């Protein structure tokens, strides 16, 4: 067997093929970038262990993740927040983890997007399971997991074809997604999820921004709106909000956190268009947000109550563009400082 | 550490550099391999290395005592000590929760309200493999089939050798320890062939198992659904392919990595899905476990030396325990039981309805065997009996209103791959990869190799754990 010859051919062809693959996707507009993964989250979560009174944690769903820009917040307050908000999740499991498993007693900003916040305490529900799995991963990750992440980062930052996010975007470039996108025939019944394309860019410390394309290309933004529409239809046929259980669970942890000197700030981030109308109709402020604020007895900021926070239009109805997020973060930080909720 | 991870690429590169650099003599190379093996294991959970050390120390001591001791009662005591420690570890770490659950169920059924806290015992990776491996050493020493390892280093490396530590092949002492006695170095051809096998194993795991089959199998075996005939069969076939590619992929990687170090490990899979009956299947599927069960369980239970009834009983007990070895759940026991029944029926057929296997009926027999094996996989994969029964009913047309959940292309993907898998196994029944590769032109082999590398890279596997790590 002339294995040496075979090996040389394999190496040469392998390098040529993967180079061509990389160039092809770059020619299609893909650029190298990080993925929003459980490993990035775990690295931030680890920072909480050594955080103090003046630090700020951000917990909740994607609105807080898109809308708070860490650079702007840091510029205003002098403190760079630890970004732990995660798309499509309730803040309850992460807050519970911080309260029960750490002695952190600084500031926590919690996002209150009613449709997510009041959804459930069922551990099998997607909004809950998604963040709980990250909490569990943080506790169970191995040295090998940490080393893999460390080695993976420079590859993600330099190779465009490495696009394989945990969100399972329709425009990911891993083989499984490429095959999943092939449609032959149509044997399935019922609603089908529209394609959900990546509309974000994330940095190493989970500072996340909406892509320029989403902010400027309305037809692209419409593809994201279609996905919200699909989720809305699903939610309409799903279980109703579980307000009582959620309040009971949250207030119990909140009481414990406050008793050790911790400071919680509730924030309702902006939404727009039809989504905002649906949210207001399905979960009226007076029946959900206001009840929570009254029961929690902590500083709370609803974008509708502040002129400087109520000036934005979300391109895809749910999140702010990078530029608006920068302004929103600055204005919110200034309000918090002015109210002496946090110090600079 | 997983073979399909970046950390392993770094780890293996460092090990190979240290192994082949002219820095260390053979003894120090073995020390380096032993230390590397502990690092390999400890990167998952460092404290559990202590279990490996205990198992190593106990069987090293027992082996030496068995070598020196002539008094039968004392020899038996050393054997029992080894079995008590190794099986004790298995009983506690692997079956502790299962035993407790069943005890609670029994107590509750008898009218006693008993609800202790769940123990949530962590399952040490690969414990079933390395305990069986060390036990085989002590049992062989007891039976005076082998000589003791020359040094503690040789024995410790035998227990811990990283390529096969966590998922086999379960190697016998006579096949591995003796290889550590003399300096080993892979020839150029061995090294490149080892690299090829590593690529082939990763391709099986990352591309075929994880990308092409795992998603279908996971969707279909999710609890709480009633599926159509086609979906149930497609999902079961997907799992059938997934578990083969996952496990055979691991074994192929292990054999390849060892070969790159100049160490030869035995084959663990020989195209099992083209087996002509079930006794043939168990000579081709997870060969190192089935031969272990035969030598250390079936034969000591009497084998075929004490009449038909005893033989069937031994066969059934062996297969039931073989099922339990795979996991602490009744579904695994049923899986083992079904294989036991198949083996008994096959022996009855050979006794009362013998027929000659020709090239014409062979493929039909292989297909029938494959179909029956698929039915057993349902119990192996399902986490609960409800899911398994629902799947079985769907596969036998008993759920006419079952839901369609798999997209058309996914079904085409799975059915095409499984058809190719079956035909490949049939075509490769009497040969092996090396023989086929040696008949290929080097250029064609190189192109095939490059395609596998390319597909592994674009698969962008997220480091899915090998299924057999949990066993």
């Amino acid at each position: 067997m002339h294995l040496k010859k075979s090996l040389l051919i394999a190496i040469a062809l392998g390098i040529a093929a993967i180079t061509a693959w990389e160039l092809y996707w770059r020619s299609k507009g893909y650029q190298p970038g990080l993925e929003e993964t459980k490993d990035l989250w775990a690295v931030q979560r680890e920072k909480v262990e050594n955080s103090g009174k003046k630090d700020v944690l951000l917990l909740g769903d994607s609105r807080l993740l898109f809308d708070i820009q860490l650079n702007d917040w840091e510029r205003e307050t002098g403190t760079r927040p630890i970004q732990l908000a995660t798309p499509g999740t309730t803040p309850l499991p992460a807050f519970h983890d911080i309260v029960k498993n750490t002695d952190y007693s600084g500031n926590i900003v919690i996002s209150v997007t009613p449709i997510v916040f009041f959804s459930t305490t069922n551990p099998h529900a997607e909004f809950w399971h998604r963040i709980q799995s990250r909490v569990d991963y943080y506790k169970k990750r191995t040295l090998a997991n940490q080393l893999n992440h460390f080695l993976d980062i420079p590859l993600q930052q330099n190779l465009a074809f490495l696009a394989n996010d945990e969100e399972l975007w329709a425009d990911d470039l891993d083989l499984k997604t490429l095959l999943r996108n092939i449609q032959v025939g149509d044997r399935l019944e019922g609603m089908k999820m529209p394609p959900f394309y990546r509309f974000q860019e994330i940095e190493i410390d989970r500072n996340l921004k909406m892509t320029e394309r989403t902010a400027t290309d309305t037809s692209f933004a419409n593809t994201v709106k279609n996905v919200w529409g699909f989720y809305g239809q699903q939610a309409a046929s799903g279980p109703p909000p579980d307000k009582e259980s959620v309040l009971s669970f949250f207030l119990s942890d909140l009481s414990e956190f406050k008793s050790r000197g911790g400071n919680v700030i509730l924030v309702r981030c902006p939404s727009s268009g039809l989504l905002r109308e649906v949210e207001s109709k399905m979960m009226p402020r007076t029946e959900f947000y206001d009840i929570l604020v009254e029961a929690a007895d902590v500083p709370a900021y609803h974008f509708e109550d502040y002129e400087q926070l109520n000036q934005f239009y979300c391109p895809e109805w749910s999140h702010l563009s990078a530029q608006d997020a920068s302004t929103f973060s600055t204005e919110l930080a200034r309000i918090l400082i002015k109210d002496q909720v946090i110090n600079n | 550490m997983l073979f399909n991870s970046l950390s392993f690429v770094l780890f293996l590169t460092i090990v190979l550099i240290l192994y082949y650099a002219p820095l260390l003599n053979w003894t120090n190379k073995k020390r380096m391999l032993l230390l590397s093996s502990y690092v390999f294991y400890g990167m998952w959970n460092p404290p559990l290395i202590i279990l490996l050390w205990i198992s190593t120390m106990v069987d090293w001591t027992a082996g030496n005592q068995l070598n020196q001791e002539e008094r039968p009662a004392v020899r038996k005591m050393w054997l029992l000590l080894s079995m008590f420690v190794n099986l004790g570890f298995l009983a506690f770490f692997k079956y502790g929760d299962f035993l407790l659950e069943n005890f609670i169920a029994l107590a509750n059924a008898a009218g006693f309200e008993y609800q202790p806290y769940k123990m949530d015992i962590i399952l040490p990776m690969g414990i079933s493999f390395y305990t069986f491996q060390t036990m085989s050493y002590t049992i062989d020493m007891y039976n005076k089939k082998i000589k003791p390892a020359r040094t503690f280093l040789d024995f410790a490396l035998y227990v811990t050798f990283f390529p096969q530590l966590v998922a086999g092949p379960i190697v016998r002492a006579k096949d591995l320890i003796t290889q550590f006695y003399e300096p080993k170095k892979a020839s150029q051809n061995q090294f490149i062939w080892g690299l090829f096998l590593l690529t082939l194993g990763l391709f099986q795991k990352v591309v075929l198992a994880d990308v092409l089959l795992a998603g279908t199998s996971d969707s279909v075996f999710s609890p709480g659904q009633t599926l159509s005939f086609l979906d149930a069969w497609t999902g079961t076939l997907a799992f059938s392919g997934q578990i083969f590619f996952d496990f055979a992929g691991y074994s192929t990687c292990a054999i390849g990595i060892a070969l790159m170090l100049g160490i030869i490990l035995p084959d663990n899979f020989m195209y099992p899905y083209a087996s002509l009956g079930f006794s043939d299947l168990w000579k081709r599927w997870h060969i190192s476990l089935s031969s272990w069960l035969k030598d250390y369980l079936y034969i000591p239970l009497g084998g075929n030396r004490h009449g038909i009834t005893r033989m069937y009983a031994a066969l059934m007990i062996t297969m039931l325990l073989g099922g339990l070895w795979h996991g602490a759940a009744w579904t695994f026991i049923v899986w083992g039981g079904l294989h036991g029944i198949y083996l008994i029926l096959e022996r009855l057929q050979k006794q009362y309805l013998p027929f000659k296997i020709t090239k014409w009926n062979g493929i039909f027999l292989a297909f029938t065997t494959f179909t029956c094996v698929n039915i057993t996989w349902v119990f192996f994969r399902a986490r609960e009996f409800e899911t398994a029964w629902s799947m079985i009913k769907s596969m036998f047309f008993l759920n006419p209103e079952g839901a369609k959940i798999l997209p058309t292309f996914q079904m085409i993907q799975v059915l095409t791959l499984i058809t190719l898998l079956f035909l490949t196994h049939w075509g490769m029944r009497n040969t092996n990869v090396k023989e086929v590769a040696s008949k290929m032109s080097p250029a064609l082999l190189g192109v095939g190799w490059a395609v596998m590398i390319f597909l592994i890279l674009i698969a962008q596997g997220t480091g899915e754990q090998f299924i057999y790590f949990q066993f």
Side-chain angles (χ1 to χ4, degrees), chain A residues 266-277:
Chain A
L266 300 176
V267 173
R268 166 70 160 94
C269 294
S271 52
S272 309
L274 185 60
L275 181 61
R276 186 171 167 189
E277 285 174 31

Side-chain angles (χ1 to χ4, degrees), chain A residues 46-321:
Chain A
E46 193 171 15
K47 289 181 181 172
V48 180
E49 309 292 351
N50 298 314
S51 296
K53 213 57 193 157
K54 285 192 73 175
D55 285 305
V56 177
L57 312 189
L58 305 175
L59 300 185
D61 52 80
S62 58
R63 290 195 186 160
L64 206 62
L65 187 61
F66 276 80
D67 296 356
I68 300 294
Q69 291 302 303
L70 305 187
N71 296 333
D72 300 289
W73 184 287
E74 186 179 15
R75 193 184 59 242
E76 293 301 318
T77 66
T79 303
R80 194 168 184 82
I82 297 172
Q83 180 57 278
L84 292 172
T86 300
T89 65
T90 159
L92 272 59
F95 183 53
H96 186 71
D97 168 51
I98 302 290
V99 172
K100 298 291 181 190
N101 300 322
T102 72
D103 55 6
Y104 178 74
S105 61
N107 305 291
I108 302 184
V109 177
I110 295 181
S111 169
V112 184
T113 300
I115 205 159
V116 182
F117 189 97
F118 293 101
S119 60
T120 187
T121 54
N122 177 358
H124 300 295
E126 182 62 12
F127 288 149
W128 189 285
H129 172 72
R130 207 169 184 186
I131 183 67
Q132 186 63 51
S133 66
R134 289 196 169 185
V135 171
D136 295 342
Y137 177 73
Y138 169 68
K139 289 179 196 161
K140 289 180 183 170
R141 75 192 163 134
T142 64
L143 294 170
N145 293 143
Q146 293 175 58
L147 180 58
N148 286 333
H149 176 61
F150 175 76
L151 296 171
D152 195 27
I153 291 293
L155 295 177
Q156 284 185 35
Q157 286 170 328
N158 289 288
L159 293 169
F161 81 86
L162 293 181
N164 181 17
D165 198 277
E166 286 171 18
E167 188 64 52
L168 306 180
W169 304 112
D171 51 355
D172 278 348
L173 298 178
D174 60 296
L175 186 56
K176 197 182 265 186
T177 305
L178 295 174
L179 290 169
R180 195 170 46 228
N181 288 341
I182 300 173
Q183 299 291 329
V184 176
D186 191 10
R187 69 186 292 272
L188 298 187
E189 297 138 10
M191 283 191 297
K192 288 188 191 72
M193 183 167 159
F196 196 11
Y197 299 108
R198 178 187 309 259
F199 65 109
Q200 63 189 42
E201 296 160 346
I202 195 165
E203 294 164 15
I204 191 84
D205 62 355
R206 298 189 80 248
N207 187 43
L208 184 138
K209 290 176 187 163
M210 181 182 284
T211 56
E212 188 63 23
R213 185 184 179 193
T214 318
T216 55
D217 180 347
T218 48
S219 66
F220 182 76
N222 285 342
T223 64
V224 184
K225 289 177 190 170
N226 291 340
V227 175
W228 305 151
F230 171 79
Y231 284 142
Q233 281 178 301
Q234 275 202 325
S237 58
D242 193 359
K243 188 168 73 177
E244 300 309 319
S245 300
V246 166
L247 281 177
S248 163
F249 189 97
F250 177 66
L251 294 175
S252 165
D253 284 338
L254 180 65
S255 166
E256 189 174 336
F257 187 61
K258 284 203 284 189
S259 70
R260 70 183 189 216
N263 180 31
V264 164
I265 302 147
L266 300 176
V267 173
R268 166 70 160 94
C269 294
S271 52
S272 309
L274 185 60
L275 181 61
R276 186 171 167 189
E277 285 174 31
V278 170
E279 283 177 337
S280 304
K281 196 173 165 188
M282 279 176 67
M283 309 183 87
R285 176 174 172 171
T286 49
E287 292 175 34
F288 288 89
Y289 179 83
D290 290 347
I291 302 255
L292 167 70
V293 171
E294 191 182 343
D297 191 24
V298 295
Y301 297 86
H302 196 299
F303 73 96
E304 290 173 349
D305 299 340
Y306 297 85
E307 195 182 335
Q308 57 275 51
L309 304 181
N310 197 13
Q311 53 172 317
F312 308 108
Y313 183 81
C314 303
E316 37 66 85
W317 294 341
S318 189
H319 308 92
L320 297 175
S321 67

Side-chain angles (χ1 to χ4, degrees), chain B residues 139-412:
Chain B
I139 298 169
D140 284 351
M141 286 295 298
Y142 178 77
N143 290 326
K144 298 186 175 176
K145 284 184 177 171
I146 57 167
K147 291 181 176 164
R150 283 185 193 165
T151 65
F152 177 72
L153 177 60
D154 292 322
F155 181 72
L157 189 54
Y158 161 68
V159 177
T160 321
F161 189 48
F162 74 85
Q164 44 85 233
L165 171 61
V166 288
I170 303 167
V171 193
R172 306 293 174 85
K174 66 179 167 52
D175 296 326
L176 187 55
I177 293 183
T178 48
Q179 294 192 61
F180 296 141
Y181 294 159
E182 304 298 332
K184 286 286 179 296
K185 184 183 168 190
S187 66
Q188 188 187 72
N189 257 7
Q190 274 183 323
F191 189 91
I192 298 175
W193 185 247
L195 197 57
F196 177 83
L197 291 179
L198 176 59
T199 313
L200 179 62
L202 287 175
F203 175 73
Q204 289 179 297
K205 163 67 180 166
V206 175
V207 178
L208 301 179
D210 290 350
V211 171
L212 297 180
L213 297 169
T216 307
S217 148
D218 291 347
S219 308
V220 166
F221 281 94
S222 294
Q225 25 181 26
T226 304
L227 299 178
S228 75
F229 168 81
L230 265 180
D231 290 73
W233 267 106
T234 307
T236 302
L237 289 168
F239 179 68
S240 180
Q242 184 198 356
I243 194 160
F244 170 75
F245 287 127
D246 190 284
F247 193 19
Y250 186 91
S251 294
T252 309
C253 288
I255 293 165
I257 294 161
L259 195 58
M260 289 165 80
L261 298 165
I263 306 286
I264 293 164
L265 297 180
D267 282 334
N268 214 15
F269 289 86
M270 293 290 285
Y271 312 101
Y273 287 152
S275 299
L276 301 173
F278 300 96
S279 45
D280 189 27
L281 174 80
W282 287 105
K283 287 173 190 152
R284 292 171 174 275
W285 178 277
H286 201 174
I287 299 164
S288 62
L289 175 70
S290 40
S291 66
W292 196 102
L293 291 172
K294 181 183 159 205
D295 292 348
Y296 301 111
L297 195 58
Y298 175 70
I299 291 174
L301 283 170
N304 55 9
R305 303 186 308 274
H306 301 285
I308 285 184
T309 312
R310 178 95 179 257
M311 179 185 76
Y312 289 153
L315 203 53
M316 200 51 154
I317 291 167
T318 303
M319 295 315 292
L320 289 170
L321 289 174
L324 192 61
W325 178 90
H326 284 85
W330 286 102
T331 45
F332 288 110
I333 296 172
V334 169
W335 173 79
L338 280 174
H339 274 284
I341 292 169
Y342 286 161
L343 285 166
I344 290 169
L345 290 175
E346 182 182 274
R347 292 197 183 196
L348 289 171
Q349 172 267 314
K350 280 180 180 167
Q351 191 178 353
Y352 296 109
L353 292 167
F355 60 87
K356 193 178 175 195
I357 297 171
T358 65
K359 63 179 177 179
W360 303 111
N361 67 13
I363 193 161
F364 175 74
L365 184 57
F367 184 74
T368 307
T369 308
F370 180 52
T371 306
C372 293
V373 168
N374 274 297
I375 291 165
T376 69
W377 284 134
V378 172
F379 292 92
F380 193 96
R381 175 61 180 83
R383 292 285 170 266
E384 317 81 14
F385 277 112
E386 291 77 16
T387 308
W389 280 124
S390 175
M391 286 288 290
I392 292 288
K393 279 158 76 180
S394 296
M395 289 163 75
F396 285 92
F397 296 101
L398 296 172
N399 282 327
E401 301 299 315
K404 296 172 182 173
I405 63 161
L406 297 175
T408 310
F409 183 74
Q410 204 171 337
M411 298 189 72
I412 294 170

